[in-house]
Amino acid sequence: MKKIVEVTKSPSETFNIGFNLASKINSPTIIGLSGELGTGKTIFAKGVAEGLGIKELITSPTFLGINEYYSGHIPLIHMDFYKKVINKENLDFYTKKNAVILIEWFENFNSVFNTNLKPNITVHIKYLRDQNDIIHDNERQIIIEIG
Ligand SMILES: Nc1ncnc2c1ncn2[C@@H]1O[C@H](COP(=O)(O)OP(=O)(O)OP(=O)(O)O)[C@@H](O)[C@H]1O
Ligand SMILES: [Mg+2]
């Protein structure tokens, strides 16, 4: 297992970490993304998408909780478990695909499906806070675990 810990000071730095991670991916991979509301999971996902060569505009998956993109060198399935709307049939359908599967709110995943899925890569994004618990506006800590 390889663990990488980085601090970013802007959304574009977070984007770039996703971009660099994805540019090394060329086989089916499950990425579990976790972190509080608004930490930057979707920005990270946009970086991943661009790093996979995807040209389409990446938006937060809302209605069915799943977006799919096919314009890169490997398909990207982008899921969001915040509202827990994704059903098991959909999940099975997508996990059989030869794709990168990126799951936002991965912390909700195993409880929804009563599984113990371990992604190939986990990414946890955290707010940085001072000693009075005040959030440092544009700073995030990103913890990446591979394998
Ligand atoms: N260092 C940083 N990295 C990422 N985002 C940052 C950073 N600093 C500030 N931001 C801001 O934080 C917000 C992150 O939004 P984003 O939608 O990516 O979060 P999210 O974790 O996907 O939220 P949600 O939990 O609602 O899905 C953006 O408004 C972005 O500009
Ligand atoms: Mg999001």
Side-chain angles (χ1 to χ4, degrees):
M1 204 258 288
K2 186 175 162 197
K3 183 169 173 177
I4 302 162
V5 180
E6 305 218 38
V7 171
T8 67
K9 296 187 185 302
S10 67
S12 60
E13 282 184 40
T14 297
F15 178 99
N16 285 340
I17 292 177
F19 183 96
N20 290 334
L21 179 73
S23 50
K24 296 177 206 125
I25 296 177
N26 46 32
S27 55
T29 303
I30 299 178
I31 305 175
L33 207 50
S34 62
E36 286 176 72
L37 265 177
T39 42
K41 298 180 292 299
T42 298
I43 287 180
F44 188 92
K46 288 180 184 194
V48 167
E50 208 169 301
L52 295 174
I54 288 162
K55 306 281 177 264
E56 293 134 282
L57 182 70
I58 307 301
T59 55
S60 211
T62 47
F63 180 52
L64 287 175
I66 305 177
N67 287 341
E68 6 179 345
Y69 303 95
Y70 294 97
S71 61
H73 57 257
I74 184 167
L76 172 68
I77 311 298
H78 182 194
M79 301 184 177
D80 191 320
F81 273 80
Y82 182 58
K83 293 194 187 127
K84 309 182 180 179
V85 290
I86 297 169
N87 64 42
K88 185 79 173 79
E89 288 69 37
N90 262 335
L91 181 78
D92 291 344
F93 173 77
Y94 283 108
T95 47
K96 282 196 199 94
K97 284 183 185 261
N98 193 17
V100 172
I101 299 178
L102 186 118
I103 307 171
E104 283 191 47
W105 288 97
F106 186 76
E107 52 270 68
N108 289 345
F109 183 90
N110 283 325
S111 63
V112 172
F113 292 116
N114 194 21
T115 63
N116 194 9
L117 178 77
K118 182 100 181 58
N120 306 97
I121 301 175
T122 64
V123 179
H124 186 59
I125 310 184
K126 287 167 86 168
Y127 287 116
L128 287 172
R129 295 179 158 90
D130 66 16
Q131 60 270 47
N132 299 319
D133 225 24
I134 308 292
I135 288 172
H136 292 203
D137 259 353
N138 296 312
E139 291 187 7
R140 306 286 190 269
Q141 185 185 52
I142 304 182
I143 302 158
I144 302 177
E145 293 183 334
I146 303 172

